[in-house]
Amino acid sequence: MSLHDTDISQRLERYLARRAMPRRLEGKPEAQDDELRALVSAVRRFAPAGKLHEWWPKLEDALVDECTTPAWPTEREIRAAAQAVNRDTSGGSAPVFDTHEIMGRRMERGDAVPESFLYGREAVEMIARGLVDEVTMRKYRSAAYFRRKDLYGETEAQRWEDEGKQRHDDAKRIRRERAA
């Protein structure tokens, strides 16, 4: 779990502690955990990385308007509140599309993504921003490798993977150098 996800989870748990747990979850710790994960995922889709401390209070205010009961919000209520916050903070200007966020959401759903998001600069950016986790990235890389192996043979698949790993290492090094 990325630091961004951990921060969202902690903030959401503090928020939910002030609300009534739905009765359908009482005495069901696994269901409670599943619900919390679903709510964290709903927030993560909209929460801006690096600006959560500014964004979160606005989300809580929007949830006051969105939620009709003192119970935990639903995924739909969180989505509606988060979209309202993002609409308000964008100043009504044209939407800004973040390709990395879009690809992260696609990977979260299991949808296809371009290979450039598996190794190299794009992948490093997604990982650094917490938009994709290690398990998901490994699954995508493995699927791409085996697909290439089926189409072109093991030698070509291994060459592609080795080049990808080198490109990825180079991109990580460049990112570190720029940050220093």
Side-chain angles (χ1 to χ4, degrees):
M1 183 179 281
S2 71
L3 290 175
H4 182 64
D5 290 353
T6 301
D7 194 9
I8 289 170
S9 182
Q10 290 172 348
R11 289 172 187 268
L12 186 59
E13 286 178 27
R14 283 194 310 269
Y15 174 78
L16 295 178
R18 301 188 324 252
R19 315 279 297 187
M21 182 185 353
R23 288 188 184 179
R24 63 184 166 76
L25 300 176
E26 288 178 7
K28 300 176 185 173
E30 289 179 6
Q32 291 171 19
D33 290 344
D34 291 344
E35 183 73 9
L36 182 59
R37 270 193 297 280
L39 296 177
V40 167
S41 179
V43 171
R44 186 178 58 230
R45 285 186 209 109
F46 298 96
K51 296 182 181 178
L52 192 61
H53 65 283
E54 297 169 5
W55 185 83
W56 187 264
K58 295 174 186 172
L59 176 67
E60 286 191 13
D61 289 344
L63 283 169
V64 168
D65 295 335
E66 193 63 40
C67 298
T68 58
T69 69
W72 287 7
T74 64
E75 290 175 73
R76 176 175 283 169
E77 289 169 332
I78 285 179
R79 185 173 46 250
Q83 287 174 330
V85 169
N86 289 352
R87 227 180 359 261
D88 292 344
T89 57
S90 70
S93 60
V96 176
F97 296 101
D98 184 330
T99 306
H100 297 99
E101 286 183 17
I102 293 168
M103 292 303 139
R105 286 194 301 270
R106 291 188 74 172
M107 290 175 86
E108 186 179 296
R109 290 190 309 262
D111 294 344
V113 298
E115 286 184 355
S116 62
F117 286 87
L118 303 183
Y119 290 104
R121 185 173 48 105
E122 307 297 354
V124 168
E125 179 70 16
M126 288 177 56
I127 292 166
R129 291 174 52 190
L131 299 172
V132 66
D133 61 39
E134 182 84 21
V135 172
T136 302
M137 185 60 80
R138 196 174 319 120
K139 180 179 83 169
Y140 270 80
R141 289 172 176 169
S142 180
Y145 172 85
F146 285 112
R147 179 68 176 147
R148 189 169 298 276
K149 181 180 171 190
D150 290 344
L151 291 172
Y152 305 111
E154 187 169 356
T155 303
E156 175 59 25
Q158 191 60 54
R159 185 189 65 72
W160 171 81
E161 185 178 51
D162 291 343
E163 288 175 1
K165 287 178 178 178
Q166 183 60 52
R167 212 172 43 255
H168 196 75
D169 289 343
D170 291 345
K172 286 193 305 190
R173 179 184 48 76
I174 291 168
R175 184 178 179 87
R176 278 193 308 271
E177 289 171 0
R178 286 184 179 163

